[in-house]
Amino acid sequence: KADNQVRSFEFKNTGDAPLLITRAESTISSIVVTKPAAAIMPGKKGQISFKYNNMATGPIRKTITVESNAVNYPDGRVALRIKGEVL
């Protein structure tokens, strides 16, 4: 079976104001990150997707940096860690 190589981080806005993801990017160009275009309203879910392109087989450990208007993280910045294996 072919794998489309797309994975997602799902999250929920547990705050009381709209959550705006202003930036989401990887440290390497072989991982393409897609962030929500619109704000995530309180109590609603959103997702950040990533697709890995042209990666050699073997273990992967990468980081996606997400910036938002969240007040419960310093500068609204969160690091999402990707850990897995490309077969």
Side-chain angles (χ1 to χ4, degrees), residues 21-83:
I21 307 295
T22 54
R23 193 169 122 192
E25 56 188 31
S26 173
T27 55
I28 61 169
S29 62
S30 60
I31 295 181
V32 179
V33 182
T34 305
K35 68 176 185 65
I40 309 303
M41 303 317 285
K44 300 295 181 184
K45 292 182 180 179
Q47 69 179 19
I48 294 173
S49 299
F50 66 95
K51 180 175 182 172
Y52 44 96
N53 295 320
N54 304 321
M55 294 191 71
T57 58
I60 58 171
R61 286 175 178 69
K62 305 297 178 197
T63 301
I64 294 172
T65 302
V66 178
E67 293 179 4
S68 72
N69 63 339
V71 296
N72 56 334
Y73 288 93
D75 298 324
R77 187 175 294 187
V78 176
L80 302 178
R81 305 223 190 300
I82 301 168
K83 181 180 177 184

Side-chain angles (χ1 to χ4, degrees), residues 1-5 7 52-60 83-87:
K1 177 181 160 188
D3 184 347
N4 66 6
Q5 300 175 322
R7 301 292 183 262
Y52 44 96
N53 295 320
N54 304 321
M55 294 191 71
T57 58
I60 58 171
K83 181 180 177 184
E85 185 168 355
V86 177
L87 302 174

